[in-house]
Amino acid sequence: MALLLEANRTVSLDRIADALWDGEPPRSAVANIRTHVSALRRHTDGAASLLSRPGGYELLVPEEHCDHHRFMRLAAQGRRALDDGNPEQAAPLLGQALALWTTGVAAEGVPRHGWPAGPLDHLDEERRRVIEDLAESCVEAGEPRSALRELHALLAADPLRDRGWALRMRAHHSLGEPGGVSDSYQAAVRAFRDQLGARPGIELDRLHRALNAS
């Protein structure tokens, strides 16, 4: 995983060790790394090659074969389309980005210690943002039911997301469901109260009042 996250760049032995062992690496760390590299070389296909470099290793692989690079590229393209006022163009790009995920967690099962924890956490947060971007695209494109489907699992797993709740309220408003707007707002208030002992951001309160008044 360390080599893939740093694809096409040399990763030093120290950084590889930091990614493999939580705390002080064993005395056999270098020998163990060489064993891992040998095993990895046996499993790489023609799309990638693992090269020895002075003081480390480099995984050569085209970016289009790296799911995390493809995800970030599609996410950026979809976000630009959304920002430019083209939700119909944004939605399929964002959907393609999310389709690259087989689970809800980046590199599921890989221990998160050392420096890889930061990039993996960042990928997880980007996935959550893309779900919200897709939901916004659906609302803007006149498909609020699709937006609600996208937001359901996100808010169940991460209920402290003001934007997610705002989008859920907007989706219900688009459907002519004032009860859904109020229920969503109250669910957000409960989540923030129970987990933080606080209220959601003031913008969510303003949106609730505005939607109820319209």
Side-chain angles (χ1 to χ4, degrees):
M1 179 52 63
L3 292 169
L4 186 58
L5 287 171
E6 295 283 280
N8 304 310
R9 290 193 291 265
T10 298
V11 184
S12 70
L13 291 170
D14 285 343
R15 279 173 64 78
I16 295 173
D18 185 49
L20 288 174
W21 290 282
D22 188 11
E24 190 70 22
R27 291 184 178 181
S28 59
V30 172
N32 290 344
I33 289 171
R34 287 174 179 158
T35 299
H36 287 306
V37 166
S38 295
L40 184 58
R41 279 179 171 144
R42 290 194 296 271
H43 289 89
T44 53
D45 55 27
S49 55
L50 183 52
L51 305 181
S52 297
R53 299 298 193 195
Y57 296 93
E58 180 179 359
L59 182 66
L60 292 179
V61 55
E63 282 199 358
E64 61 267 23
H65 292 161
C66 295
D67 282 352
H68 61 297
H69 286 304
R70 293 171 60 202
F71 166 73
M72 295 298 290
R73 183 175 65 252
L74 288 164
Q77 292 171 351
R79 201 165 283 149
R80 281 195 299 270
L82 182 59
D83 291 342
D84 291 342
N86 297 315
E88 293 86 357
Q89 179 184 351
L93 291 166
L94 297 167
Q96 290 174 46
L98 291 172
L100 293 170
W101 291 71
T102 56
T103 68
V105 179
E108 187 175 37
V110 174
R112 295 202 179 188
H113 50 68
W115 65 266
L120 292 175
D121 289 347
H122 176 69
L123 280 170
D124 286 341
E125 176 56 23
E126 281 300 299
R127 175 183 171 274
R128 292 187 284 265
R129 286 186 61 203
V130 169
I131 293 172
E132 291 173 334
D133 290 334
L134 179 55
E136 182 169 349
S137 298
C138 292
V139 171
E140 296 292 339
E143 299 180 4
R145 289 286 182 207
S146 296
L148 291 174
R149 286 196 296 271
E150 296 296 336
L151 293 167
H152 178 75
L154 173 68
L155 291 173
D158 189 2
L160 301 180
R161 301 189 70 83
D162 289 61
R163 185 187 177 200
W165 289 113
L167 287 165
R168 182 167 142 177
M169 289 161 58
R170 288 176 55 196
H172 281 296
H173 183 262
S174 295
L175 289 164
E177 298 174 350
V181 174
S182 294
D183 288 348
S184 297
Y185 177 71
Q186 292 303 325
V189 169
R190 287 193 300 272
F192 276 80
R193 181 194 62 209
D194 294 345
Q195 296 196 27
L196 296 179
R199 292 183 62 82
I202 191 171
E203 292 301 322
L204 201 65
D205 183 60
R206 289 173 177 168
L207 176 63
H208 180 231
R209 292 200 303 270
L211 294 179
N212 279 341
S214 64

